[in-house]
Each structure stands twice: as structure tokens, then as C-alpha cells.
Amino acid sequence: NDTWSESNRLRVGVRNLGGSLGSFGSSGAKHACFLLDEDLFEYDKNGYKRYVGVGRDDGYDWNSIGKALNGTTYVSPDELETAIDDSGDWTGSEYNVFSHNCQDFVRFCLLAVGCHKSMECVIF
């Protein structure tokens, strides 16, 4: 299988959503995304989206959580998309800001591409 001979670069990025939580002040909420080669994967209340060939979107800070979430994998973007679809966990109706959100999606992606389980705890 030629897929296993190719190394694919992975990277995690976040952007600040800002906003306010009423009397709690600014929420400082962050939205996480996952880059595999040039394809951007992200998850919100509308479900997950894959943007093919976009590279590192300027709206995201790709260094805010450090180099621990940058690396390589032998899983291709197509294989990641298959894993996401097969899981059945990332449709719009499943979104919950506190318990099933973009950070959980990025954790799923990290594990799906073969990162060690200890890496998933680095996100926020």
C-alpha cells in the first residue's frame, strides 16, 4: 500500500472566538482545528468540515499550543476523513459546547492518525 510509505504532516491550530458570557465577562473561548498536509479539518455546531488544499489558514495561531502538536503520520487526509465518517460522532446534532466540541474533535483526530494518547491531554 503506497499510503504507508508516505509521511503526512500534522499540525493543530486555534483561534480566539472572543465573545462574552454575560456577567462572567469575556469567555476567551478558542476554536481548535487540525491540519493534515494541506487539508484543514474542523468541527462546530454544523458538524465537521474538511477544506481541501487550503494549508495553514491565517485565522489560526499555529504555535499557541506548542510544538508538541506538530508532527508527522502515515495516515493520509483521506484515511482521516474515513475514520471521522466511520466514527459517527461528528455530526452537527452531536455538538455540545462543554462535552463534545472542537477540542474533542482535535483529540479524536490526533488519536486517529496514531499519536500517542498522552498527546491528547496537551490541548487547552
Side-chain angles (χ1 to χ4, degrees), residues 46-107:
N46 298 312
Y48 91 90
K49 295 177 281 301
R50 176 184 177 185
Y51 301 98
V52 176
V54 298
R56 290 197 290 170
D57 187 296
D58 289 341
Y60 291 89
D61 181 347
W62 295 97
N63 297 310
S64 67
I65 34 187
K67 295 179 181 178
L69 295 178
N70 303 317
T72 58
T73 179
Y74 290 110
V75 176
S76 72
D78 288 339
E79 289 169 317
L80 175 58
E81 185 168 47
T82 297
I84 293 167
D85 290 339
D86 288 350
S87 75
D89 288 336
W90 306 106
T91 61
S93 62
E94 298 292 325
Y95 183 84
N96 181 298
V97 69
F98 296 109
S99 62
H100 195 75
N101 55 41
C102 61
Q103 296 172 30
D104 298 312
F105 176 72
V106 169
R107 287 184 186 104

Side-chain angles (χ1 to χ4, degrees), residues 21-33:
L21 294 176
S23 60
F24 295 106
S26 176
S27 65
K30 293 183 185 268
H31 178 66
C33 70

Side-chain angles (χ1 to χ4, degrees), residues 5-51:
S5 64
E6 298 174 10
S7 181
N8 302 287
R9 293 194 53 77
L10 66 91
R11 194 149 190 174
V12 174
V14 296
R15 65 181 165 84
N16 192 347
L17 295 178
S20 175
L21 294 176
S23 60
F24 295 106
S26 176
S27 65
K30 293 183 185 268
H31 178 66
C33 70
F34 189 81
L35 185 73
L36 188 55
D37 284 345
E38 295 297 313
D39 292 3
L40 184 71
F41 293 82
E42 64 177 6
Y43 176 72
D44 62 22
K45 63 183 178 170
N46 298 312
Y48 91 90
K49 295 177 281 301
R50 176 184 177 185
Y51 301 98

